[in-house]
Amino acid sequence: MTSPTGVVFPPGPRTLRIASRRSQLAMVQTHWVRDELRGAHPDLSISIEAMATQGDKILDVALAKIGDKGLFTKELEAQMLVDRADIAVHSLKDLPTNLPEGLMLGCITEREDPADALVVHAKHKDKTLATLPEAAVVGTSSLRRLAQLRHHYPHLEFKDVRGNVITRLEKLDSGDYDCLILAAAGLGRLGLADRIHELIDPAISLHAVGQGALGIECREGDASVLELIQVLEHRPTALRCRAERAFLRELEGGCQVPIGVNTRFSAPEAGGDLVLTGMVASLDGQRLIRDQVSGPQEDPEALGITLARRLREQGAGPILEEIFATVRPEA
Ligand code: DPM
């Protein structure tokens, strides 16, 4: 049997086993991946194993305090390493930049709007981020969102919020918070785009590395699986996210540090330069270092590394060390 791409498979039914988190958002994302793969490979049989990860189970501790990289990915990776799953579907921003030995990032899907969104309690429906009242309580457990918003809006208060998107919205609506900051992409995928009150301008707050895209992880060198999933790869997104991930890796940031990015192409995507903006901020929002680099899209990693080094030259190192000492004093 030969696939349209010319790869020869052994005869008989082929199966692909997908590991996924089981939150509503994760399932929407995984079902999308399954449907795309089914469309491209009609004779492929696909199964999904949904499970909870550490990040889903520990809900009473601030995300940054748990501090562990791979909080939302480890259990899924274990399934692939013991050959009980072939791929894992992740929100790319939850996937650490260094993967366990034997696994690789097989492809990156087309990114939705990577911006953060403001979601407000009904009593603030006439307000914007800039006009929220003194001491309004913003629900977020992202140090990146907290540091950047504190920098621009020092009158706001911040309170940790954990749990999946639906749970967070319930907490907002019941009055625990005045507003939340959530990824626009997650709200959109859940059919909750009508809850987006305002998209946050990148001039105010840069998004997380990989935000809005899905990363499909698989076993290293698993040629037949890699071949199957290539239909999901979106090259412009992959170039942007590879630059963003190289930037984060070079800064040695785990997922829970105030590091933000933005990427775009300077000209039509075919051939234009890749423009990467990045920032590192202190938790009090007082110090914020931000810079931009651009260069040929053929080498996105080099761009990420260049930007990381530039931020270090401007003082990012001490800010990050301070944060590691604050959020994980035992480390
Ligand atoms: C990571 C962060 C958050 C998630 C940290 C950050 C947000 C935590 C919070 C690494 N993972 O963004 O600075 O706000 O308390 C997560 C979401 C999505 C993927 C939810 C969200 C959906 C959107 C996407 C949680 N991971 O950010 O609203 O695909 O990017």
Side-chain angles (χ1 to χ4, degrees), residues 91 93-94 141-142 144-145 168 182-183 189 211-212 256:
S91 287
K93 81 165 174 173
D94 293 330
S141 38
S142 157
R144 172 185 62 82
R145 290 168 176 155
R168 289 178 187 215
L182 292 169
R189 291 194 190 112
Q211 188 159 312
Q256 282 308 308

Side-chain angles (χ1 to χ4, degrees), residues 120-128 132-133 136 177-179 197:
V120 296
H121 187 273
K123 69 184 173 205
H124 294 308
K125 65 180 191 312
D126 302 325
K127 298 284 194 298
T128 67
L132 280 166
Y177 305 87
D178 290 294
C179 65
H197 189 63

Side-chain angles (χ1 to χ4, degrees), residues 14-84:
R14 288 180 295 140
T15 59
L16 186 79
R17 300 156 302 171
I18 308 181
S20 171
R21 287 176 53 211
R22 61 178 185 212
S23 74
Q24 299 100 317
L25 179 57
M27 290 316 291
V28 168
Q29 295 177 165
T30 298
H31 287 152
W32 179 82
V33 166
R34 179 197 59 194
D35 294 346
E36 291 290 305
L37 287 172
R38 267 193 189 148
H41 313 290
D43 56 342
L44 182 68
S45 114
I46 304 177
S47 63
I48 295 174
E49 201 198 327
M51 63 201 81
T53 62
Q54 214 191 346
D56 300 302
K57 290 176 192 157
I58 310 173
L59 291 172
D60 52 349
V61 184
L63 210 53
K65 291 236 159 56
I66 311 174
D68 209 3
K69 291 182 193 175
L71 204 55
F72 293 107
T73 55
K74 265 188 198 149
E75 286 79 357
L76 277 54
E77 293 174 333
Q79 293 294 306
M80 290 185 286
L81 290 169
V82 299
D83 197 18
R84 271 197 242 119

Side-chain angles (χ1 to χ4, degrees), residues 35-233:
D35 294 346
E36 291 290 305
L37 287 172
R38 267 193 189 148
H41 313 290
D43 56 342
L44 182 68
S45 114
I46 304 177
S47 63
I48 295 174
E49 201 198 327
M51 63 201 81
T53 62
Q54 214 191 346
D56 300 302
K57 290 176 192 157
I58 310 173
L59 291 172
D60 52 349
V61 184
L63 210 53
K65 291 236 159 56
I66 311 174
D68 209 3
K69 291 182 193 175
L71 204 55
F72 293 107
T73 55
K74 265 188 198 149
E75 286 79 357
L76 277 54
E77 293 174 333
Q79 293 294 306
M80 290 185 286
L81 290 169
V82 299
D83 197 18
R84 271 197 242 119
D86 301 301
I87 64 172
V89 178
H90 309 286
S91 287
L92 184 58
K93 81 165 174 173
D94 293 330
L95 187 65
T97 54
N98 292 313
L99 302 181
E101 198 169 323
L103 298 178
M104 65 182 284
L105 179 52
C107 70
I108 297 176
T109 68
E110 181 165 8
R111 169 177 253 173
E112 315 244 342
D113 187 340
D116 281 337
L118 174 72
V119 181
V120 296
H121 187 273
K123 69 184 173 205
H124 294 308
K125 65 180 191 312
D126 302 325
K127 298 284 194 298
T128 67
L129 192 53
T131 63
L132 280 166
E134 183 72 30
V137 175
V138 184
T140 180
S141 38
S142 157
L143 302 180
R144 172 185 62 82
R145 290 168 176 155
L146 169 130
Q148 294 183 96
L149 294 182
R150 256 191 194 148
H151 181 79
H152 293 280
Y153 305 111
H155 68 288
L156 299 176
E157 302 278 337
F158 295 84
K159 190 167 137 191
D160 216 42
V161 56
R162 295 289 324 281
N164 63 49
V165 175
I166 313 271
T167 310
R168 289 178 187 215
L169 291 171
E170 285 165 5
K171 290 182 182 173
L172 169 71
D173 295 335
S174 69
D176 295 354
Y177 305 87
D178 290 294
C179 65
L180 300 175
I181 312 291
L182 292 169
L187 288 165
R189 291 194 190 112
L190 285 168
L192 295 167
D194 60 328
R195 294 295 314 252
I196 298 176
H197 189 63
E198 180 186 336
L199 285 174
I200 299 177
D201 187 337
I204 300 289
S205 185
L206 296 177
H207 62 73
V209 164
Q211 188 159 312
L214 307 184
I216 315 294
E217 196 179 8
C218 64
R219 276 181 299 272
E220 211 156 34
D222 199 338
S224 59
V225 166
L226 273 167
E227 176 68 26
L228 284 172
I229 62 178
Q230 279 324 296
V231 293
L232 296 165
E233 170 95 344

